[in-house]
Amino acid sequence: MKKLILLVYIIYAALPASDAQAESYLNGTGDPNDPYLIEDLADFDAFASDPNYWAAGVHTKLMCDPNLSGRTYTTAVIAPDTDNQDDVFDGISFAGIFDGNVHNICNVTIDPNGVGNDFLGLFGYIDSGAEVKNINIEDVIVIGGNNSEHIGGLCGHNDGSISNCYSNSSVIGIYSPSSLGGLCGGNNGNIVNCNSTGSVTGGGYYVGGLCGSNGGNIINCYANNLVSSAGPGSGVGGLCGSSCGYISNCYSTGPVTGSVFSSYVGGLCGLNNCNWRLFGTISNCYSTSPVSGGLERIGGLLGDVSGSINNSFWDIEIGGPDNGVGIPKTTLEMQDPNTFISAIWDFVGETINGTDNYWRLCKDGIEYPKLAWQSMMGDIACPDGVNLFDYAYFAERWLEDDCDTSNNCGGADIDTSGIVGIADAVILAENWLEGTE
């Protein structure tokens, strides 16, 4: 029956919505409590090809791990741009709510074969009010064509909300003028609790490990990408190429390499402004990214000195050179939690700087700070491993229900449902004594 309905969708895909299209191929109604369910690859294809599933207020939930191996897309898989004659998005944007349900979408290949298609990624354009959350994408290859702009592993451009997402991708735009990132090409919305690995290589402006250009908010994120420039553009950074927005509680670790012609190359961000008209704010961030190459304006934290930089550090023994931006520290100092706690960073195990517990460092002198959400399921307090310390921490926050505004109740809302409750206790029990020595 599903195959028959899918055939009908293919035949009528080019027609406007009508009563003949009222029946959904996917199970569910699209309501918050009854989302459309993607249960197999055919379901995913139906979702990706039908803009009715992308409409504002429509909820979709992933129930499987789609493997797109053997396919090569020439545009974004979902919500693609339809006119490459300009750098404006001309297609139907994604305006709904997509919950990846902590599933994986893997082996995505996008290659327009030299054609300058824009807004490339799993999602082409995520609109204001839309949400994409709880999704991992792995083994993604996105190759820009001549003059392609806005290229990322997860999305070409985001005006909405991206949260709890991970991208492992290779993003290449040798002939792309601007905005290439491992997770997102450009961002004017919110990116929270996300990370990116892989590689990003660009030939133009604004090349970053997580995001190419940012005019929105990037909070509690990190990037560990090989970031490199192969052209004369400016704005190359381990986390973000260029930002005139707000970046808080983030870090970068991957190497950043500028070309002999590129300028404004930094461990965390290349530029802290957008066209020198709007300026960004960076707070409580750090970088251990080795920085090399570049023609001019190169730094361990940032390539330029504009905007506002607050309580942010870089490892002077690894990164560099020192251009006077950010606070340089030795490796030993960068592995000491007191370096950051004295700068008013909110860590697990202290309360003087708050109880949201954004950061965690359990092994002094051995590792750098990590974001608290990176720990294994159930490991919400130091020392490492799921043990009685986690149980005591969890019990103190039992039934707290303001978790959306308090960093998941300091990590005690393990399932990110918004409340510390039974479901979180089950996760704690399932992982009991995991990771303990």
Side-chain angles (χ1 to χ4, degrees), residues 179-413:
S179 300
L180 281 80
L183 183 86
C184 188
N187 174 58
N188 286 328
N190 297 307
I191 302 177
V192 181
N193 292 3
C194 293
N195 70 296
S196 175
T197 63
S199 63
V200 184
T201 303
Y205 292 82
Y206 317 142
V207 181
L210 187 86
C211 188
S213 57
N214 173 53
N217 301 303
I218 300 176
I219 300 172
N220 302 348
C221 296
Y222 76 92
N224 181 18
N225 302 70
L226 299 169
V227 179
S228 60
S229 171
S234 63
V236 185
L239 184 86
C240 195
S242 171
S243 176
C244 55
Y246 180 66
I247 300 176
S248 175
N249 293 321
C250 294
Y251 71 93
S252 63
T253 60
V256 180
T257 305
S259 76
V260 294
F261 304 107
S262 56
S263 57
Y264 298 103
V265 182
L268 189 79
C269 292
L271 288 158
N272 198 29
N273 72 80
C274 299
N275 298 320
W276 300 100
R277 293 194 298 268
L278 299 172
F279 298 91
T281 297
I282 296 173
S283 299
N284 295 15
C285 296
Y286 80 84
S287 174
T288 62
S289 294
V291 180
S292 61
L295 177 64
E296 59 180 356
R297 309 296 173 88
I298 307 157
L301 188 74
L302 298 175
D304 83 287
V305 297
S306 65
S308 177
I309 300 104
N310 306 309
N311 302 326
S312 295
F313 303 86
W314 59 281
D315 191 325
I316 196 171
E317 296 183 47
I318 297 177
D322 186 358
N323 61 354
V325 182
I327 305 169
K329 293 290 183 180
T330 65
T331 298
L332 190 60
E333 289 173 319
M334 291 285 289
Q335 294 176 345
D336 182 353
N338 293 313
T339 297
F340 305 93
I341 292 172
S342 64
I344 323 179
W345 286 36
D346 189 347
F347 268 73
V348 169
E350 61 80 33
T351 58
I352 192 171
N353 295 334
T355 58
D356 290 333
N357 297 333
Y358 296 112
W359 294 96
R360 171 185 174 125
L361 202 169
C362 295
K363 296 179 180 179
D364 298 10
I366 298 176
E367 58 187 23
Y368 296 93
K370 293 182 179 179
L371 293 161
W373 62 260
Q374 291 182 246
S375 302
M376 71 173 64
M377 295 288 278
D379 186 10
I380 53 179
C382 289
D384 288 333
V386 184
N387 49 44
L388 286 173
F389 292 94
D390 302 291
Y391 176 79
Y393 182 91
F394 178 80
E396 289 175 355
R397 289 158 178 78
W398 181 247
L399 296 184
E400 287 188 12
D401 59 3
D402 61 343
C403 300
D404 291 337
T405 60
S406 61
N407 193 36
N408 297 327
C409 287
D413 178 20

